[in-house]
Amino acid sequence: TQLLEQSPQFLSIQEGENLTVYCNSSSVFSSLQWYRQEPGEGPVLLVTVVTGGEVKKLKRLTFQFGDARKDSSLHITAAQPGDTGLYLCAGRQRGNSGYALNFGKGTSLLVTP
Amino acid sequence: NAGVTQTPKFRVLKTGQSMTLLCAQDMNHEYMYWYRQDPGMGLRLIHYSVGEGTTAKGEVPDGYNVSRLKKQNFLLGLESAAPSQTSVYFCASSQNYGYTFGSGTRLTVV
């Protein structure tokens, strides 16, 4: 059973469009992170959210942590080809030692010019 | 400015062979992790360490062993490789929330 469910699995859009990626769980997380991974590379941290209801913005990317700390979303405004990649959400449950994270399966985004 | 370095980057093993994957970090991070990434499965935690000399099992530890003799190094061993261990292996380190990942080792067991 996957602890974190991401949707959609795949997304193909044109440059300039907006999109939202979702990360849902029935479990509560003390913190949640979003990573972006390019082919042949390791994931790179985009953001960490720790407070229920928190919203963080990173240029054209907006991240939200649900009030109940069970879900999160990533919204990209005016997508660019450079946004192409695999987007992963990862959560830390209370009691996880050493900041061990559970990862979702990812959303593969393709932005075409 | 190396961050997390994994060696080797690619390896092909025959069933039953053994090997060690090396992970080195230069950020003085306390915590280190080994994950495997498989199509349709996402990243799954194999083993992790909360400090020098400590190791703990993750979600999928069977068939793997680890050691953390020095704070900067975290070794992942396969004693008798099986085709089911064909995967991309990622090492990561952290001091708190954010992970820094290596670029991965692609392992094929034939």
Side-chain angles (χ1 to χ4, degrees):
Chain A
T1 304
Q2 194 74 17
L3 200 57
L4 285 162
E5 298 287 343
Q6 286 190 240
S7 62
Q9 272 189 286
F10 303 97
L11 196 52
S12 180
I13 62 173
Q14 290 198 316
E15 184 174 3
E17 292 184 19
N18 300 332
L19 67 117
T20 303
V21 175
Y22 299 94
C23 177
N24 295 300
S25 177
S26 57
S27 300
V28 175
F29 293 95
S30 58
S31 64
L32 200 138
Q33 299 173 8
W34 285 91
Y35 291 80
R36 179 167 159 264
Q37 184 179 19
E38 297 192 30
E41 297 295 328
V44 176
L45 178 67
L46 296 173
V47 77
T48 300
V49 284
V50 297
T51 305
E54 183 175 4
V55 177
K56 280 192 174 180
K57 292 192 174 185
L58 191 67
K59 296 183 180 178
R60 294 176 293 101
L61 279 60
T62 301
F63 304 87
Q64 188 161 7
F65 199 13
D67 291 339
R69 299 158 75 129
K70 293 182 179 181
D71 56 86
S72 181
S73 64
L74 158 61
H75 182 80
I76 301 178
T77 304
Q80 298 177 359
D83 295 326
T84 293
L86 179 68
Y87 289 83
L88 297 160
C89 68
R92 178 174 181 247
Q93 291 187 292
R94 292 185 192 279
N96 276 13
S97 64
Y99 295 93
L101 294 174
N102 298 104
F103 281 82
K105 293 183 180 181
T107 294
S108 183
L109 172 65
L110 174 64
V111 183
T112 53
Chain B
N1 202 23
V4 176
T5 303
Q6 290 184 235
T7 53
K9 291 190 183 302
F10 303 94
R11 185 74 186 267
V12 178
L13 282 181
K14 293 183 179 179
T15 297
Q17 285 185 322
S18 64
M19 79 163 293
T20 300
L21 281 67
L22 174 63
C23 176
Q25 54 101 357
D26 61 3
M27 298 167 286
N28 202 35
H29 284 171
E30 202 66 37
Y31 312 114
M32 296 187 75
Y33 317 84
W34 277 106
Y35 284 84
R36 58 178 290 174
Q37 187 174 37
D38 302 290
M41 300 296 291
L43 282 159
R44 293 180 292 169
L45 182 64
I46 306 172
H47 285 281
Y48 64 99
S49 168
V50 299
E52 180 179 315
T54 74
T55 63
K57 293 181 180 179
E59 181 186 355
V60 288
D62 294 342
Y64 305 95
N65 57 75
V66 287
S67 65
R68 184 127 180 247
L69 299 179
K70 292 183 178 181
K71 187 177 184 178
Q72 63 267 33
N73 296 335
F74 196 27
L75 278 63
L76 178 71
L78 287 73
E79 289 188 350
S80 180
S84 61
Q85 293 177 304
T86 292
S87 186
V88 181
Y89 292 86
F90 286 100
C91 175
S93 71
S94 75
Q95 191 57 34
N96 43 52
Y97 295 110
Y99 280 18
T100 301
F101 280 88
S103 57
T105 294
R106 184 174 293 275
L107 175 66
T108 302
V109 183
V110 297

